[in-house]
Amino acid sequence: MRTTSRDIRTANRYRVLRQAIADSPASRPRLAEATGLSPATVATLVGELLDQRMLVDAGFEDSGGGRPRGLLAVNPEGGALIGVDVAETYVHVEVVDLTLRTLARAHEELYPRDHAPAALVRRIGGAVRAATAGAATRGPLLGAGISMPGMVDREGGVSVYAANWGWHDVPLLDLLSGEVPSPLYLDNPMRACLVAELWFGAASGHEDAVVVNLGTGVGAGLALGGALHRGASNSAGEWGHTQLVLDGRPCHCGRHGCVESYVGAPGIMRTLREIDAGSPLLSEEDQTATVDRLARAHGAGDPVAARVFAETGGYLGAALADLVNLLDPEVIILTGWVARALGTPLLDEARAAVARHALSRPLESTEIVLSPIRVNPVSLGAATFALEGALASVGRGRR
Amino acid sequence: MRTTSRDIRTANRYRVLRQAIADSPASRPRLAEATGLSPATVATLVGELLDQRMLVDAGFEDSGGGRPRGLLAVNPEGGALIGVDVAETYVHVEVVDLTLRTLARAHEELYPRDHAPAALVRRIGGAVRAATAGAATRGPLLGAGISMPGMVDREGGVSVYAANWGWHDVPLLDLLSGEVPSPLYLDNPMRACLVAELWFGAASGHEDAVVVNLGTGVGAGLALGGALHRGASNSAGEWGHTQLVLDGRPCHCGRHGCVESYVGAPGIMRTLREIDAGSPLLSEEDQTATVDRLARAHGAGDPVAARVFAETGGYLGAALADLVNLLDPEVIILTGWVARALGTPLLDEARAAVARHALSRPLESTEIVLSPIRVNPVSLGAATFALEGALASVGRGRR
């Protein structure tokens, strides 16, 4: 796919609105300075966003005696967005306004009986209705984004492959029409987290960012040159299945030594088992409980937990250093439930290991941080797919 | 840096001329189809390139009775380009026309006495004069590109750091003005190889390509979304210093287990030494001789050479699989003197190992090939910096 002038205008519209969200209220000169766009371009784009009522005038800046500069704010009544995180065990829905305030949410558990496409579509529709019924929206509904695990064809709106449910080529968006307000957008959780960071998190204002997701599985979302890098088959970002130890631990993907088999939750449990097979921290059937206990034990000074943090941070840092050396990003952002649970102590161990493994020049230009996003980032990112869709269609006669 | 409309026009100009080079003579509809650009955009860009005399009319296509379509060819008299490959032990200059025919070349050895900036500048100037004196150029000289090892600041034209010569912050392009015809462009060999592949090699027509350089050192050039990915500190592509074996072989960078320490020439020599310490193939002080002997011995059925190829191909394939899984490129191109010397037998071993290590979906969409470029690809790429510079300045009143 070639980049067109329309793509550029859309990308610039993203930049202006992202900056306005990060920095509201802001003057036009401030937006021009922060985005690197020309004052004329910013004036045009701000005009469009005012017409769409996504931005509103917000008084004047104290200019210390000069000509007063008009301020622009993101309009909380400019539209509502629905973000749906469909995971293997739950559906989580957030309804947000353009300031990213949550207007309503719904969270429903999924059971094996919900796993057929028709049943899941009904459960998603029900969760969305439950959330929107409680939402006090005063602006237009701009659309809904759906994040689905597995492999998705976002252009066609198809769930190409979802291993845990045995799905192949399910035309999900077609099935959902009527159940969920349109327009609808589909992508995977990794891409949702990346987009959430670009708009509302630690990647905001950066052109080259990597979002690393640490959970049961492990992956990376790549934003390079300000745009998502999707790859030839839309499957870029499988950092979890790059090699950390040649011929190392077996990975559930069938190979050996993958990053995921060391820093995913089951890998961390294996490290704990190797250090102390009978550890009371270990709950064989419950990853979440084990990881939470590790975090608490580390906080309480437990030496076994300290060793697990040191070894896991060492593996994580070595693997992050590969991203630093290969991609030289401005920022690497750790997200996912394992990153949230193990937090700053894991980050500190990982940073020390990155410093041992990375080359000095790209190391100096790369920050490594925890995601600052507090709500469910996958739902937030899914809602952002709908926001991006609305911005892409500005000027095409659609609201 | 933000992408501007001017950048897009320049990138589209690159695409049209690249396609015309690959496919000369070609009609406007053929160029539109192959580049994915609109007929109107192609007509405008072709008009500019005709005005510049980079393209010329080349008769009409046999249209089987319909309206005849005009054909366009790259103009061999449209301009000459100078490409300079400054390596640690030599300066190699190619003077090429727009069809990439070599008009003249010069190759001069460098000695320790040439390593001070002033001395090297004189040697480069001498080599360029030697080459251009023999060149039968009939068009304008469009500029010269210089490839320098180490770290370069291409915008400022500065050699930031060249380890082997002890250079720090040498303003190379300023020193060369007067010695070499301007405009002058500077970048590193990895970027030169990548640009050569994009314009004239196996990356032509692709948006996502990785060029892997195998020599004494090892690195990768990344073309993502049709543009070079440079990274936050212009040092992306250090694939040679990503981890292949945690805590593995010591690497000359001071770390352990780097890809380079397995698949660079010294790494291959170490593998040979581990298999047969007293091998007659081994010439401790001469990497080139050892690699050439390995290639010949492998061709003659030598079992030690076969083991070295199998082990090196296994390491290389595991490391290439990381690029496949992380970046999901359309093509990976092997270049550099080690890749040329070991050729198809190494590629075959590497492909088999990639198939063992890569995930099936990105694997299916990625080709792995040897560079088809037969001249010095670094000089060719450096000449292409000048061609890109000339195309970027079309419409700015410069020729």
Side-chain angles (χ1 to χ4, degrees), chain A:
Chain A
M1 218 178 59
R2 308 302 185 197
T3 308
T4 64
S5 307
R6 172 178 289 280
D7 296 332
I8 292 284
R9 279 199 302 279
T10 298
N12 289 339
R13 218 176 272 134
Y14 290 0
R15 288 190 173 106
V16 168
L17 188 60
R18 267 184 212 163
Q19 191 59 41
I21 288 170
D23 212 20
S24 182
S27 66
R28 287 171 185 75
R30 165 74 198 141
L31 292 174
E33 185 196 27
T35 57
L37 298 169
S38 73
T41 299
V42 167
T44 304
L45 297 174
V46 163
E48 289 174 354
L49 293 169
L50 286 167
D51 287 347
Q52 299 289 314
R53 301 200 32 79
M54 290 182 172
L55 292 180
V56 286
D57 291 308
F60 292 90
E61 192 170 53
D62 180 3
S63 60
R67 194 173 133 211
R69 287 171 168 179
L71 290 172
L72 301 152
V74 176
N75 181 10
E77 300 177 21
L81 303 157
I82 299 172
V84 184
D85 171 13
V86 183
E88 274 135 25
T89 57
Y90 64 81
V91 179
H92 184 94
V93 180
E94 298 267 336
V95 184
V96 298
D97 69 19
L98 295 184
T99 69
L100 268 294
R101 200 166 50 96
T102 294
L103 301 172
R105 62 168 56 108
H107 188 97
E108 303 191 357
E109 300 297 320
L110 293 179
Y111 303 100
R113 66 170 181 272
D114 299 318
H115 288 174
L120 188 71
V121 160
R122 280 193 304 272
R123 295 298 315 276
I124 294 171
V128 169
R129 278 189 297 275
T132 48
T137 62
R138 281 170 298 179
L141 186 62
L142 296 173
I146 320 280
S147 163
M148 277 288 292
M151 218 169 275
V152 301
D153 166 10
R154 75 193 173 95
E155 307 273 342
V158 173
S159 167
V160 175
Y161 181 54
N164 287 286
W165 303 334
W167 285 23
H168 290 275
D169 297 317
V170 174
L172 189 67
L173 292 197
D174 283 352
L175 296 174
L176 278 169
S177 77
E179 290 283 344
V180 176
S182 65
L184 284 174
Y185 303 88
L186 177 69
D187 215 321
N188 69 31
M190 196 62 247
R191 244 62 67 86
C193 286
L194 179 60
V195 166
E197 294 297 336
L198 279 168
W199 278 86
F200 311 110
S204 168
H206 293 295
E207 295 285 296
D208 294 327
V210 178
V211 176
V212 161
N213 184 62
L214 301 179
T216 305
V218 165
L222 313 177
L224 304 174
L228 267 63
H229 174 68
R230 296 180 177 277
S233 62
N234 197 31
S235 57
E238 290 286 2
W239 172 73
H241 299 286
T242 62
Q243 204 109 70
L244 183 62
V245 181
L246 192 68
D247 302 320
R249 292 182 180 175
C251 181
H252 79 97
C253 74
R255 296 164 193 81
H256 283 80
C258 296
V259 169
E260 183 169 300
S261 64
Y262 293 85
V263 304
I268 295 172
M269 289 170 72
R270 177 167 171 160
T271 302
L272 170 56
R273 221 178 291 121
E274 286 174 0
I275 292 170
D276 179 4
S279 169
L281 301 172
L282 201 57
S283 173
E284 282 298 343
E285 296 305 306
D286 192 340
Q287 296 174 17
T288 318
T290 306
V291 168
D292 285 346
R293 278 186 216 139
L294 266 171
R296 279 196 305 272
H298 182 270
D302 178 82
V304 168
R307 276 190 60 195
V308 173
F309 270 69
E311 289 194 17
T312 302
Y315 292 132
L316 178 60
L320 293 175
D322 286 353
L323 294 173
V324 172
N325 290 350
L326 184 65
L327 297 176
D328 186 16
E330 295 166 82
V331 62
I332 295 177
I333 303 153
L334 305 187
T335 185
W337 68 269
V338 170
R340 275 193 298 280
L342 303 185
T344 307
L346 179 68
L347 178 65
D348 289 343
E349 296 280 359
R351 279 181 175 149
V354 171
R356 291 194 300 273
H357 290 282
L359 298 172
S360 60
R361 191 172 151 97
L363 179 66
E364 274 170 30
S365 59
T366 304
E367 279 186 288
I368 304 177
V369 301
L370 292 171
S371 170
I373 295 176
R374 290 286 153 258
V375 296
N376 174 314
V378 176
S379 290
L380 189 59
T384 312
F385 297 148
L387 177 57
E388 290 194 340
L391 288 171
S393 66
V394 166
R396 288 189 202 162
R398 284 163 58 187
R399 286 299 294 256

Side-chain angles (χ1 to χ4, degrees), chain B residues 288-364:
Chain B
T288 318
T290 306
V291 169
D292 285 345
R293 277 186 215 140
L294 267 171
R296 277 197 305 272
H298 182 270
D302 179 82
V304 168
R307 274 189 62 193
V308 174
F309 270 69
E311 288 192 19
T312 303
Y315 293 133
L316 178 59
L320 293 175
D322 286 354
L323 294 173
V324 172
N325 289 349
L326 185 64
L327 298 175
D328 186 15
E330 296 166 80
V331 63
I332 295 177
I333 302 154
L334 306 187
T335 186
W337 67 269
V338 170
R340 274 193 299 279
L342 303 185
T344 307
L346 180 68
L347 178 65
D348 289 343
E349 295 282 358
R351 278 180 175 152
V354 171
R356 290 194 299 273
H357 290 282
L359 298 173
S360 59
R361 191 173 151 97
L363 178 65
E364 274 170 31

Side-chain angles (χ1 to χ4, degrees), chain B residues 363-386:
Chain B
L363 178 65
E364 274 170 31
S365 60
T366 304
E367 276 186 289
I368 304 176
V369 299
L370 292 172
S371 170
I373 295 175
R374 290 288 152 255
V375 297
N376 175 314
V378 176
S379 290
L380 188 61
T384 311
F385 297 148

Side-chain angles (χ1 to χ4, degrees), chain B residues 173-194:
Chain B
L173 292 198
D174 284 351
L175 296 174
L176 278 170
S177 76
E179 291 282 345
V180 176
S182 66
L184 283 174
Y185 303 87
L186 178 70
D187 215 321
N188 69 32
M190 196 61 248
R191 245 61 68 90
C193 287
L194 179 59

